[in-house]
């Protein structure tokens, strides 16, 4: 795409940072989007006359909504494209609907779209050596191209980033030749433009997501929540949202916003909840009865967590997801249309139904001293959640998530805020072999923990990183130190550091610790929509 001199108004530069979840205005019809492409893009692109690929280059790629947003933003910033925000939204909607990815093509890669922090990737060695040195593997895998277009992308990299051949891991080999000869054909095979998955998905009748949803989720620092989400269709694939509910401690939450659905399942919402602007990146199921993904603060993506919403009769969660043998505990069963008798499974006795409505049932339960250690299926009437409640004897080990993470210094009057990191403790009981850390361990779920920090190694201890790199609060949220030089440190270095995050779970008279690695590093000065 490039500047159309006959349509010049003003260059709208710098809009690549616009959060895609905020694209919630009325989308144009396909005909309008095609007109915009003709008006704005055909100074450089051409019409091919082919029905399947009507526009050169543009029609030979498939991408997520975020991927198309990045493409158009790059055309604005680097090629002089003039396009209004409304036109940009319309084109993204059109391209994501008609040249998007099927649900199966995004499976296992949604962490990138959902802004899930600190995911450790593993991709083919050839891609690791040629492409993943600079950006995530998921960024590659969340697009589809013809082989010629994959080759064009390699040529683009050489023109735009000529030092790519000189980076560590590339300068000791013929990077360009390997990329063009070996990588492009592999990408065309692994991530082809034409696929049965996309062809099949295009034929599926997409479900209307209007109506009432029961949503369960987690927010760092506030805990789990249950809420009713009501979606009202205001235009084609656009919904007005009203959210009302409570956190586990009884604190109310309420919010309003809008959502746009791309490609029949990609839910992108922008809401204000209790004065805080948040985003939702969710995927709708093919039957239109569930939404799953992540919700996070617009201005601090780390502060967020997984959410699930159901429209039909279903159980979304049991909280907490564990009960100890011989223990009495309040359990909250969350979901939608929860009617009928509650059954907690073998070895568990329902003592009392404390409160209930269609979306939430709170019960007092007791596990017998001889209850079998294992996962129980919880039922409410005709609906069940397999393995939703674990019965255990003792916490054998604790795992801290994420196991490896990065936080970034910032603030101190500078334009880049601090990038925090948030942690949770997952408890496990030993399985039948009685040994923790083996394949048959029983996952209990997230457990309350006390949080501390310590130096990761001798160098971190010598440099006193624990004093300067940052602090962790009672909720497991780490806040890094200030940006800039620190005269108190050796050679006036900044407040980076190498730390271990320690989570301690108390189980009766037993304390069990888990550790995770945290690297506190410098600011990130370039932040694309897709990393």
């Amino acid at each position: 795409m490039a500047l159309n001199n006959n349509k010049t108004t003003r260059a709208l530069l710098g809009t690549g940072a616009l959060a895609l979840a905020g694209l919630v205005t009325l989308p144009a019809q396909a005909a309008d989007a095609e007109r915009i492409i003709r008006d704005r893009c055909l100074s450089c692109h051409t019409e091919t006359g082919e029905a399947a690929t009507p526009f050169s280059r543009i029609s030979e790629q498939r991408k997520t909504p975020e991927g198309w947003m990045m493409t158009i933003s790059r055309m604005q910033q680097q090629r002089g494209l003039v396009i209004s925000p409304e036109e940009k939204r319309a084109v993204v909607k059109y391209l994501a609907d008609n040249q998007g990815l099927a649900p199966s093509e995004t499976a296992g890669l949604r962490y990138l779209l959902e802004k899930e922090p600190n995911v450790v990737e593993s991709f083919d060695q050839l891609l690791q050596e040629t492409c993943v040195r600079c950006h995530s593997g998921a960024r590659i895998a969340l697009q589809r191209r013809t082989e010629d277009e994959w080759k064009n992308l390699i040529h683009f990299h050489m023109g735009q980033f000529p030092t790519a051949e000189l980076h560590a891991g590339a300068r000791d080999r013929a990077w360009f030749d390997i990329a063009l000869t070996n990588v492009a054909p592999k990408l065309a095979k692994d991530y082809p433009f034409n696929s049965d998955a996309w062809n099949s998905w295009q034929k599926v009748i997409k479900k209307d997501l209007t109506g009432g949803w029961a949503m369960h989720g987690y927010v760092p620092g506030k805990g789990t929540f249950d809420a009713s989400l009501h979606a009202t269709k205001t235009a084609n694939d656009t919904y007005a949202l009203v959210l009302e509910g409570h956190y586990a401690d009884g604190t109310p939450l309420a919010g309003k916003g809008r959502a746009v659905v791309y490609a029949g399942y990609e839910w992108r919402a922008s809401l204000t909840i209790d004065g805080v602007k948040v985003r939702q990146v969710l995927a709708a199921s093919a039957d239109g009865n569930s939404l799953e993904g992540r919700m996070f603060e617009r201005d601090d993506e780390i502060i967020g967590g997984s959410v699930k919403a159901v429209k039909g009769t279903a159980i979304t969660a049991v909280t907490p997801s564990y009960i100890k043998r011989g223990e009495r505990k309040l359990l909250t069963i969350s979901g939608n249309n929860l009617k009928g008798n509650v059954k907690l499974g073998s070895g568990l006795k329902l003592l009392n139904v404390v409160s209930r409505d269609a979306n939430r049932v709170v019960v007092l339960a007791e596990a017998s001293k001889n209850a079998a250690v294992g996962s129980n299926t919880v039922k409410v009437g005709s609906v069940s959640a397999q393995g939703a409640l674990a019965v255990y004897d003792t916490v054998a080990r604790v795992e801290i998530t994420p196991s490896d993470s990065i936080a970034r210094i910032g603030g101190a009057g500078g334009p880049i805020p601090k990038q925090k990191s948030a942690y949770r403790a997952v408890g496990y009981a030993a399985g039948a072999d009685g040994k923790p850390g083996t394949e048959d361990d029983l996952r209990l779920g997230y457990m309350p923990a006390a949080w501390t920090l310590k130096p990761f190694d001798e160098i971190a201890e010598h440099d006193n990183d624990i004093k300067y790199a940052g602090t962790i609060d009672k909720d497991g949220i780490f806040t890094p130190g200030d940006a800039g030089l620190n005269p108190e440190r050796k050679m006036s270095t900044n407040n980076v550091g190498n730390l271990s995050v320690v989570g301690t779970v108390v189980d009766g008279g037993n304390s069990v610790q888990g550790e995770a690695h945290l690297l506190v590093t410098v600011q990130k000065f370039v932040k694309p929509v897709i990393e």
Side-chain angles (χ1 to χ4, degrees):
M1 298 183 185
L3 174 65
N4 186 323
N5 291 327
N6 294 327
K7 302 292 182 179
T8 300
T9 53
R10 61 186 180 91
L12 298 171
L13 302 179
T15 58
L18 178 64
L20 187 79
L23 301 185
V24 294
T25 60
L26 178 67
Q29 299 298 319
D32 293 330
E34 290 179 355
R35 175 188 56 78
I36 294 167
I37 292 173
R38 289 186 174 92
D39 288 348
R40 300 294 185 223
C41 307
L42 296 192
S43 290
C44 295
H45 298 273
T46 60
E47 290 194 72
T48 64
E50 301 290 334
T53 54
F55 303 109
S56 67
R57 303 292 306 277
I58 301 169
S59 301
E60 298 169 81
Q61 307 174 36
R62 292 191 288 117
K63 300 179 183 180
T64 63
E66 289 83 357
W68 285 117
M69 165 63 73
M70 290 183 67
T71 296
I72 298 173
S73 295
R74 187 177 71 250
M75 294 300 145
Q76 289 179 271
Q77 295 164 357
Q78 299 180 5
R79 301 291 182 261
L81 169 68
V82 174
I83 187 170
S84 73
E86 293 78 14
E87 291 173 325
K88 189 174 183 179
R89 295 182 182 107
V91 173
V92 168
K93 180 72 169 75
Y94 168 76
L95 292 173
D97 284 350
N98 294 280
Q99 294 167 225
L101 270 65
S104 62
E105 292 177 312
T106 67
L109 302 164
R110 300 196 62 81
Y111 57 85
L112 191 67
L113 304 175
E114 296 169 5
K115 308 295 184 182
E116 180 70 36
N118 302 308
V119 175
V120 178
E121 294 188 319
S122 178
F123 277 83
D124 180 90
Q125 185 176 353
L126 180 61
L127 296 186
Q128 290 282 155
E129 293 174 350
T130 53
C131 306
V132 185
R133 296 178 297 107
C134 294
H135 52 69
S136 69
R139 178 168 172 170
I140 302 167
L142 284 170
Q143 55 184 301
R144 300 292 187 272
R145 297 169 181 259
T146 63
E147 184 170 338
D148 284 344
E149 269 306 307
W150 282 117
K151 290 181 178 179
N152 285 336
L153 184 63
I154 293 168
H155 284 288
F156 165 80
H157 276 68
M158 288 304 300
Q160 194 71 29
F161 313 109
T163 59
E165 287 188 300
L166 306 177
H167 289 180
R171 58 176 173 262
D172 57 344
R173 67 194 71 196
W175 184 92
F176 178 70
D177 292 337
I178 293 171
L180 205 60
T181 304
N182 300 333
V183 176
K186 177 175 176 55
L187 292 174
K189 179 182 178 181
D190 294 347
Y191 310 117
F193 176 71
N194 292 307
S195 75
D196 292 338
W198 178 245
N199 292 336
S200 297
W201 179 249
Q202 285 183 299
K203 298 174 184 177
V204 171
I205 298 175
K206 309 307 187 290
K207 302 298 183 180
D208 186 347
L209 303 181
T210 297
W213 297 80
M215 177 171 282
H216 179 84
Y218 172 78
V219 177
K222 295 184 178 180
T224 59
F225 70 86
D226 289 300
S228 295
L229 176 70
H230 192 80
T232 303
K233 182 172 282 190
T234 57
N236 181 39
D237 296 333
T238 305
Y239 299 86
L241 308 177
V242 177
L243 184 74
E244 292 184 320
H246 292 83
Y247 292 100
D249 64 1
T251 303
L253 66 91
K256 293 182 179 181
R258 286 185 173 275
V260 173
V261 177
Y262 300 87
Y265 75 102
E266 290 283 13
W267 172 284
R268 301 294 186 269
S270 174
L271 302 97
T272 299
I273 300 177
D274 299 331
V276 179
K277 295 184 183 300
V278 302
R279 306 297 194 212
Q280 290 178 345
V281 179
L282 313 176
S285 60
D287 63 8
N289 284 332
S290 69
L291 295 165
E292 288 192 66
R294 189 167 180 269
M295 184 172 76
F296 49 88
E297 292 187 11
R298 183 195 66 178
D299 298 325
D300 195 349
E301 296 167 353
I302 300 298
I303 306 303
S306 60
V307 295
K308 181 177 181 178
V310 292
K311 193 176 184 182
T313 301
I315 294 173
T316 55
V318 178
T319 311
S321 57
Y322 53 86
I323 185 170
K324 190 172 184 177
R325 291 198 298 194
E327 180 183 38
R328 289 187 175 186
K329 185 185 288 287
L330 285 174
L331 303 174
T332 300
I333 306 170
S334 307
N336 202 32
N337 297 329
L338 300 179
K339 301 176 182 179
N341 295 329
V342 176
K343 296 181 180 180
L344 302 175
S346 176
L348 298 180
K349 183 178 181 180
L350 177 63
L351 299 178
N352 185 30
V353 176
V354 179
S355 65
R356 73 180 303 165
D357 57 34
N359 298 334
R360 194 168 181 263
V361 183
V362 180
V363 301
L364 178 63
E366 181 178 58
S368 72
K369 293 182 180 180
N370 298 318
V373 172
S375 296
N376 279 19
T377 296
V378 174
K379 297 182 178 180
V380 181
S382 62
V383 63
S384 63
Q386 188 173 2
L389 182 60
V391 179
Y392 76 102
D393 51 357
T394 186
V395 176
R397 68 180 178 92
V398 170
E399 183 179 283
I400 306 302
T401 60
S403 59
D404 288 276
S405 55
I406 290 176
R408 298 180 183 275
I409 58 176
I416 302 177
K418 299 178 181 183
Q419 179 182 309
K420 301 176 183 178
S421 194
Y423 300 90
R424 301 183 79 180
V426 181
Y428 289 84
D433 63 6
K435 299 177 181 179
T438 58
E439 290 184 358
D440 70 343
D441 282 2
L442 174 65
R443 188 183 191 276
L444 305 180
Y446 295 111
M447 309 186 82
W451 299 98
T452 55
L453 301 168
K454 69 179 186 180
F456 181 73
D457 55 22
E458 293 181 359
I459 296 175
E461 185 173 8
H462 176 271
D463 292 343
N464 206 10
D465 288 353
I466 197 72
K467 179 179 179 181
Y468 301 108
T471 59
I472 193 166
D473 67 14
K474 63 181 180 60
D475 297 311
I477 300 175
F478 175 83
T479 301
D482 292 339
L485 301 179
N486 185 345
E488 293 185 13
R489 305 202 72 179
K490 181 181 179 181
M491 300 179 67
S492 293
T493 190
N494 53 28
N495 290 316
V496 299
N498 199 6
L499 304 175
S500 289
V501 176
V502 182
T504 303
V505 172
V506 177
D507 177 42
N510 184 33
S511 294
V512 187
Q513 290 188 339
E515 294 187 12
H517 180 217
L518 165 62
L519 182 66
V520 184
T521 186
V522 297
Q523 304 100 308
K524 180 181 289 186
F525 294 94
V526 178
K527 187 173 178 57
V529 176
I530 299 181
E531 299 285 352

